[in-house]
Amino acid sequence: MGALLIQQVGVEELRAPSTVNFARSAPALISSCFDGRLNACAVQGQYEEAEKVFVSGIRYFPDEASLYTNAAIAASQQTDASAWQRGLVHGREALQRQPDDSRTHHVVGNLQQQLGRASLAEQHFARADKIASGLPPRRAGPPRPSFDAVLDAAGPAMEVHLLSHDPFVLVVDNFVKPAEVAWIRNNAAPKLSESFTYAAHDQSVRQSQTAWLGPHEHSTLTALENRLLALLGLRFVDVAHAELQVVQYEQGGYYRSHLDTSSWHPRDITALYYLTTVQTGGGTAFQNVSAEMGDLLDSTRKQPCFDSTHHAEASEPQDHGAIVPAVAGRAVIFYNTRKDGQMDTAAYHAGCQIIKGEKWIANHWLTLRHA
Ligand SMILES: O=C(O)CCC(=O)C(=O)O
Ligand SMILES: [Fe+2]
């Protein structure tokens, strides 16, 4: 029975109920973490603690592959090469028990990458992608709200634009209030560190700093989440309550074209909040939405996605499609999963290079819970 509960325990995605059960079943494992929530260890950067918790779990449940995978994730998030070596050992143990686990191959790929072994890393990423592509969709994707329902929920203070139906992209102005913008920035600032991208073959896909804020760390975040759920016609119980990821880009910073979801780390909906108005550049580009739609938002701020100093990758799209300008308080909300539960590859997007100014955003990801 214990193993079943642990199955749900992940450094990133676990939520309180399963963890609390796990904590009750093995209280000694949890004592070094905060209030029985392993996630709290990870959110606050206590990856060493989190790794220890999973390693202790292995003593109780030595056959449980996910414990080794989670220990490997916790090790991969630490900053020293000796932790990464330990992570590889955990990862190998996991793969011995569960050779076809896509998530573990991703993690081992990341660790090999961090240790400078690019070709081994590629092999694991390729294996992970192959396994994941053979899996049936996990379950149905999120229903799209009707535009009228969104307008009703938004009320007069917000301004709503439907940028595209397919991919489904909404732009909502005045979604985040100035006091909330200030609260998020002030609380994230001391926690910022270099951004890390899971399963990215090349960490240069992104140049920015990241901090995480707990889902209900403060009433500001609860209010924001409730506003988002109301807008999209979702209930509190429909979603896993994820941390808010705060990202700061300096002038020149960017994030190349990518999808926010993957089969092993599902994120059905992204709400991206702009916490600064960027003077030039720094919008969010949706390559599968026509450029004219972006112009409708603000034709006076027409701008290229990248300037001539940017070294584009061969895989990077030349046509960046619609660009949503970064305006403080604006939310751009898009669906990464189609209604049939498959990943929506139309949802590719990029953070355009900041040509002048500074850019802060917060990502709020919603993953549907299924009964
Ligand atoms: O900075 C942006 O505009 C896009 C950021 C993004 O796509 C992400 O953080 O996943
Ligand atoms: Fe993204």
Side-chain angles (χ1 to χ4, degrees):
M1 281 316 292
L4 269 182
L5 292 172
I6 295 164
Q7 196 90 44
Q8 300 169 30
V9 176
V11 171
E12 275 228 323
E13 69 266 33
L14 88 172
R15 290 275 43 108
S18 60
T19 323
V20 168
N21 290 337
F22 174 41
R24 285 207 188 100
S25 68
L29 302 187
I30 303 299
S31 59
S32 57
C33 275
F34 320 117
D35 70 61
R37 293 170 57 184
L38 297 183
N39 205 28
C41 301
V43 167
Q44 310 209 6
Q46 306 286 321
Y47 296 109
E48 263 182 74
E49 284 301 294
E51 184 192 352
K52 281 187 199 138
V53 169
F54 289 118
V55 168
S56 340
I58 288 166
R59 274 196 259 124
Y60 290 77
F61 308 107
D63 298 324
E64 181 50 47
S66 66
L67 280 179
Y68 297 90
T69 303
N70 287 328
I73 294 176
S76 75
Q77 294 286 290
Q78 294 169 43
T79 47
D80 54 305
S82 61
W84 303 342
Q85 294 285 2
R86 281 201 311 278
L88 269 189
V89 175
H90 301 317
R92 287 200 190 106
E93 294 282 345
L95 287 176
Q96 264 174 25
R97 288 161 180 80
Q98 211 170 51
D100 285 336
D101 186 56
S102 164
R103 189 166 84 124
T104 308
H105 281 288
H106 268 293
V107 175
V108 172
N110 278 339
L111 284 159
Q112 296 286 22
Q113 181 80 44
Q114 284 162 252
L115 287 162
R117 303 178 195 137
S119 73
L120 277 172
E122 286 299 332
Q123 284 172 28
H124 281 286
F125 292 138
R127 181 81 191 276
D129 290 346
K130 184 152 189 275
I131 296 164
S133 67
L135 296 174
R138 288 179 303 139
R139 30 44 169 200
R144 273 65 176 151
S146 77
F147 190 54
D148 283 347
V150 175
L151 283 178
D152 272 355
M158 298 182 219
E159 195 179 325
V160 185
H161 316 260
L162 180 59
L163 194 72
S164 161
H165 263 291
D166 183 15
F168 191 72
V169 187
L170 289 166
V171 176
V172 186
D173 285 331
N174 308 319
F175 182 86
V176 190
K177 304 191 177 94
E180 294 168 333
V181 167
W183 188 90
I184 296 171
R185 287 183 51 170
N186 289 338
N187 283 276
K191 297 183 180 170
L192 287 168
S193 62
E194 204 58 38
S195 300
F196 173 82
T197 308
Y198 269 110
H201 303 210
D202 169 6
Q203 292 293 321
S204 77
V205 293
R206 185 172 189 192
Q207 197 180 314
S208 57
Q209 305 246 318
T210 302
W212 296 87
L213 298 176
H216 304 124
E217 195 172 303
H218 189 265
S219 56
T220 301
L221 301 181
T222 310
L224 257 184
E225 184 175 280
N226 284 335
R227 196 174 307 148
L228 178 64
L229 294 173
L231 197 76
L232 303 180
L234 293 167
R235 298 168 310 166
F236 196 78
V237 293
D238 291 334
V239 297
H241 303 283
E243 295 72 45
L244 194 69
Q245 185 198 52
V246 183
V247 183
Q248 180 205 19
Y249 303 85
E250 314 251 327
Q251 198 155 301
Y254 59 85
Y255 192 173
R256 294 186 206 276
S257 185
H258 65 277
L259 291 170
D260 284 359
T261 194
S262 70
S263 55
W264 68 285
H265 194 182
R267 289 162 167 165
D268 292 306
I269 301 171
T270 302
L272 192 164
Y273 308 137
Y274 299 105
L275 308 177
T276 47
T277 299
V278 181
Q279 244 175 300
T280 318
T284 305
F286 290 88
Q287 65 194 62
N288 296 305
V289 179
S290 80
E292 292 76 56
M293 291 307 295
D295 295 347
L296 285 180
L297 285 173
D298 185 352
S299 58
T300 60
R301 288 165 52 89
K302 216 171 160 144
Q303 51 196 229
C305 194
F306 290 106
D307 80 359
S308 53
T309 61
H310 179 77
H311 299 289
E313 307 249 295
S315 59
E316 208 165 300
Q318 294 306 302
D319 178 2
H320 288 281
I323 297 177
V324 178
V327 174
R330 169 177 280 177
V332 49
I333 300 168
F334 51 98
Y335 285 52
N336 303 303
T337 313
R338 299 191 319 223
K339 278 179 271 184
D340 66 3
Q342 295 280 5
M343 211 189 289
D344 190 353
T345 51
Y348 265 102
H349 59 280
C352 295
Q353 195 174 21
I354 290 98
I355 295 168
K356 186 147 195 242
E358 186 194 28
K359 178 181 179 188
W360 284 68
I361 58 162
N363 279 305
H364 198 156
W365 285 296
L366 299 179
T367 300
L368 292 201
R369 252 189 228 286
H370 284 262

